[in-house]
């Protein structure tokens, strides 16, 4: 009896060091401009080439501007990193989707939409949110720069085998409750360290009913509760999403692939090291109130009082609220906000823009709100335009930007000013994450749309 994780892991073991790590073969290596320069420099210093160039894909996303991408990048460090990535791709003969390439976009958006991400694969990237690809029934996880060099040189990585956890979401989601709400609720219950050391399989009726893009949102946030990664067993929803994409198998290879993919599920009776079950009927639209994703509550909820926090956590709790300008016991519904960000590898896909647009249609953006609507890729932007969503957004007072990681992190021009509140569909609300002194409130696309129109935190 094996879990889904065990089946994929075991199929990729090259060797195992006794009382040590496993040498794991990697099917797909994704790279961006921030965590790869030193890795390529290491290859040059050792006179090495990339071992399997066809299994390595590069894209620029973290540092790129989301306006005027046809002009040189203004920030010298950002420009140098992007130029270095382009040079490394050229020198080592690698596929690279640079600025204005029709396949350019956030690394965890372009992998799935081009058919690179497939069930049963091992996928790595020098990025925390690589777990996004686990939505397809893949073992996908983030790695450090020295490990990026290791994979480039050998197509393998040394890893300690994680423990397994299954999180079941049972029941049917309520009105206006999204996969983002499921994730924020889960992290608020388990805390940011609740899955440390585990690889999580998401299961249950509510997960089976999610679209692929919703599953990507759920898996994306696995790292925020300490998990090594998260995955969902592939099914017809998965196969229908992949079929026909550029790098997906075709013809007889497709039939063979699907036959294998159908075996990728946990056996009945397979043992997990830990199992947790949530009733999704209890989940309501969520927001965060602190400086880590575990500090979440329903929109109409109340920030915990100090006497509800255990002694060990009181200092960090108070520090977090002081940074945010909130008080214990405060309600945030109706709180005025300054910025709204729709985008990132968590919520920058076409379905996220459909949800946002469905709410703002026929309404107007609040005058006190600056809104950044950033597609996760050029393909997403093209689809937004094909469906006429850009016209609806424009009529409501919004401007569609160009693809990139944007305001998810303060590595590009899209920085939230100090002291300002941003309702953000991204994945991290750490101090300074969206800019020095910026105050981030994480939420899903529908909650973000309601905030953008009403100028305050609003029940959608």
């Amino acid at each position: 009896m094996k879990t889904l994780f065990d089946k994929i892991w075991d199929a990729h073991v090259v060797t195992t060091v006794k009382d040590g790590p496993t040498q794991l073969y990697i099917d797909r290596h994704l790279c961006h401009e921030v965590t790869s320069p030193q890795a390529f420099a290491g290859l040059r210093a050792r006179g090495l080439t990339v071992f399997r160039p066809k299994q390595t894909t590069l894209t620029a996303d973290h540092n790129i501007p989301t306006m005027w991408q046809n002009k040189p990048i203004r920030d010298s460090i950002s420009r140098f990193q992007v130029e270095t990535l382009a040079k490394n791709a050229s020198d080592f003969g690698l596929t690279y989707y640079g600025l204005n390439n029709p396949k350019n976009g956030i690394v965890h958006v372009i992998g799935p939409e081009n058919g690179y991400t497939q069930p049963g694969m091992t996928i790595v990237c020098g990025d925390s949110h690589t777990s996004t690809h686990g939505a397809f029934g893949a073992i996908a996880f983030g790695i450090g720069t020295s490990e990026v060099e290791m994979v480039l040189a050998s197509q393998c990585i040394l890893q300690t085998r994680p423990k397994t956890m299954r999180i079941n979401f049972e029941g049917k989601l309520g009105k206006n409750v999204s996969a983002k709400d499921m994730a924020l609720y889960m992290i608020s219950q388990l805390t940011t360290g609740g899955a440390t050391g585990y690889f999580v399989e998401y299961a249950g009726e509510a997960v089976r009913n999610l679209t692929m893009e919703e599953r990507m949102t759920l898996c994306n946030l696995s790292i925020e509760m300490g998990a090594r990664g998260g995955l969902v067993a592939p099914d017809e929803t998965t196969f229908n999403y992949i079929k026909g994409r550029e790098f997906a198998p075709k013809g007889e290879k497709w039939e063979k692939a699907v036959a294998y993919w159908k075996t990728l599920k946990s056996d009945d009776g397979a043992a997990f090291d830990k199992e947790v079950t949530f009733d999704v009927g209890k989940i309501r639209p969520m927001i965060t109130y602190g400086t880590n994703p575990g500090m979440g509550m329903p929109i109409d909820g109340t920030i915990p009082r100090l006497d509800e926090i255990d002694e060990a956590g009181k200092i960090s709790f108070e520090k977090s609220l002081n940074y945010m300008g909130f008080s214990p016991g405060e309600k945030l519904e109706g709180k005025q906000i300054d910025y709204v960000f729709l985008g990132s590898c968590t919520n920058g896909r076409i379905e996220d823009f459909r949800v946002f647009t469905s709410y703002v249609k026929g309404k107007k953006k609040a005058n006190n709100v600056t809104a950044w609507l950033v597609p996760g890729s050029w393909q997403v932007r093209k689809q937004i335009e094909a469906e006429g969503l850009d016209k609806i957004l424009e009529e409501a007072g919004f401007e569609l930007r160009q693809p990139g990681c944007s305001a998810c992190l303060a590595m590009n021009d899209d920085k939230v000013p100090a002291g300002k509140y941003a309702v953000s569909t991204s994945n991290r609300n750490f101090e300074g994450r969206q800019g020095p002194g910026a105050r981030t409130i994480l939420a899903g696309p529908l909650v973000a749309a309601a905030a953008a129109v009403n100028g305050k935190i609003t029940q959608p």
Side-chain angles (χ1 to χ4, degrees):
M1 301 293 180
K2 284 188 172 185
T3 68
L4 168 59
F5 172 83
D6 292 331
K7 290 180 180 180
I8 301 171
W9 181 278
D10 292 347
H12 288 80
V13 172
V14 179
T15 57
T16 302
V17 178
K18 187 180 179 182
D19 300 323
T22 299
Q23 183 187 9
L24 201 67
Y25 183 77
I26 300 302
D27 292 306
R28 173 62 51 188
H29 186 195
L30 302 165
C31 294
H32 58 74
E33 72 271 24
V34 178
T35 54
S36 65
Q38 298 91 335
F40 282 108
L43 292 186
R44 285 191 181 92
R46 296 159 64 192
L48 299 175
T49 58
V50 175
F51 186 61
R52 294 273 166 90
K54 289 184 179 178
Q55 287 163 245
T56 307
T57 309
L58 282 60
T59 188
D61 57 6
H62 281 57
N63 286 311
I64 63 177
T66 59
M67 298 291 282
W68 311 296
Q69 288 189 5
N70 58 326
K71 297 180 181 179
I73 298 172
R74 290 185 296 185
D75 180 78
S76 59
I77 296 173
S78 295
R79 185 172 63 252
F80 180 68
Q81 286 196 327
V82 172
E83 288 172 350
T84 300
L85 185 69
K87 184 178 189 309
N88 286 331
S90 176
D91 289 355
F92 289 91
L94 304 173
T95 298
Y96 172 55
Y97 303 135
L99 285 180
N100 294 305
N101 185 300
K103 290 193 182 73
N104 172 257
I106 302 172
V107 66
H108 308 311
V109 175
I110 69 160
E113 72 183 7
N114 287 295
Y116 283 120
T117 305
Q118 296 170 26
M121 281 185 165
T122 50
I123 300 171
V124 295
C125 176
D127 190 272
S128 303
H129 297 98
T130 308
S131 55
T132 307
H133 306 266
F136 291 79
I139 289 180
F141 53 92
I143 59 176
T145 296
S146 60
E147 293 172 314
V148 170
E149 183 180 346
M150 187 189 303
V151 177
L152 289 171
S154 68
Q155 207 60 36
C156 292
I157 192 168
L158 292 175
Q159 286 287 293
T160 301
R161 189 182 190 120
K163 293 180 286 186
T164 56
M165 180 191 295
R166 180 161 60 191
I167 297 179
N168 305 294
F169 286 95
E170 297 298 352
K172 288 183 167 56
L173 291 174
K175 187 180 180 183
N176 296 337
V177 178
S178 68
K180 183 64 164 287
D181 299 312
M182 289 169 66
L184 291 176
Y185 176 83
M186 169 181 70
I187 302 166
S188 75
Q189 297 299 302
L190 296 177
T191 76
T192 52
T196 300
Y198 291 91
F199 216 99
V200 177
E201 178 180 343
Y202 298 107
E205 179 187 7
V207 173
R208 290 192 297 273
N209 288 336
L210 295 177
T211 66
M212 281 314 300
E213 297 197 355
E214 290 169 327
R215 293 178 191 184
M216 284 187 249
T217 296
L218 180 61
C219 289
N220 173 276
L221 287 154
S222 302
I223 186 70
E224 305 308 336
M225 58 180 179
R228 197 70 186 93
L231 74 172
V232 176
D235 56 15
E236 290 301 323
T237 300
T238 319
F239 310 149
N240 291 337
Y241 180 95
I242 298 171
K243 191 171 185 179
R245 295 187 183 269
E246 184 172 348
F247 297 101
K250 306 288 191 302
E252 286 183 17
K253 288 182 178 179
W254 170 258
E255 300 302 327
K256 188 178 178 181
V258 171
Y260 168 58
W261 294 344
K262 286 181 177 178
T263 70
L264 296 175
K265 55 187 175 182
S266 291
D267 297 328
D268 293 338
F272 290 82
D273 295 302
K274 187 174 182 179
E275 192 149 9
V276 179
T277 298
F278 294 118
D279 174 4
V280 299
K282 295 179 179 178
I283 303 175
R284 308 201 298 280
M286 298 282 292
I287 54 172
T288 58
Y289 58 85
T291 54
N292 71 61
M295 301 176 81
M297 67 180 190
I299 289 178
D300 57 359
T302 303
I303 295 174
R305 300 187 309 273
L306 208 52
D307 59 13
E308 297 176 87
I309 305 299
D310 63 70
E311 204 60 42
K314 280 184 179 177
I315 292 175
S316 62
F317 176 77
E318 287 184 286
K319 180 176 180 286
S320 179
L321 291 194
N322 286 338
Y323 179 86
M324 292 298 294
F326 298 150
S327 304
E330 184 180 355
K331 289 181 74 72
L332 295 185
E333 189 175 6
K335 178 86 175 176
Q336 185 169 310
I337 57 100
D338 308 290
Y339 283 75
V340 166
F341 170 51
L342 173 66
S344 83
C345 61
T346 313
N347 285 120
R349 298 177 180 84
I350 187 61
E351 289 178 9
D352 301 309
F353 279 82
R354 287 173 185 155
V355 167
F356 190 97
T357 306
S358 70
Y359 184 92
V360 305
K361 185 177 183 180
K363 303 182 180 76
K364 288 289 182 183
K365 180 183 75 65
N367 290 331
N368 62 297
V369 171
T370 298
W372 292 328
L373 312 187
V374 186
S377 71
W378 279 107
Q379 289 188 44
V380 172
R381 178 169 170 131
K382 188 177 177 182
Q383 197 164 352
I384 289 168
E385 292 169 343
E387 295 180 16
L389 303 183
D390 58 324
K391 302 300 182 191
I392 297 169
L393 292 168
E394 195 176 312
E395 286 170 12
F398 295 93
E399 181 182 20
L400 190 64
R401 297 171 82 91
Q402 294 172 324
C405 290
S406 184
C408 176
L409 76 174
M411 279 188 177
N412 50 68
D413 293 340
D414 301 347
K415 295 180 179 70
V416 176
K420 299 297 184 182
Y421 289 103
V423 172
S424 176
T425 66
S426 53
N427 42 56
R428 286 181 170 164
N429 52 343
F430 304 156
E431 291 187 19
R433 171 76 177 184
Q434 292 191 292
R439 294 162 163 174
T440 304
I441 298 161
L442 297 178
L446 190 61
V447 174
V453 167
N454 294 287
K456 56 190 178 183
I457 297 171
T458 308
Q459 193 75 254

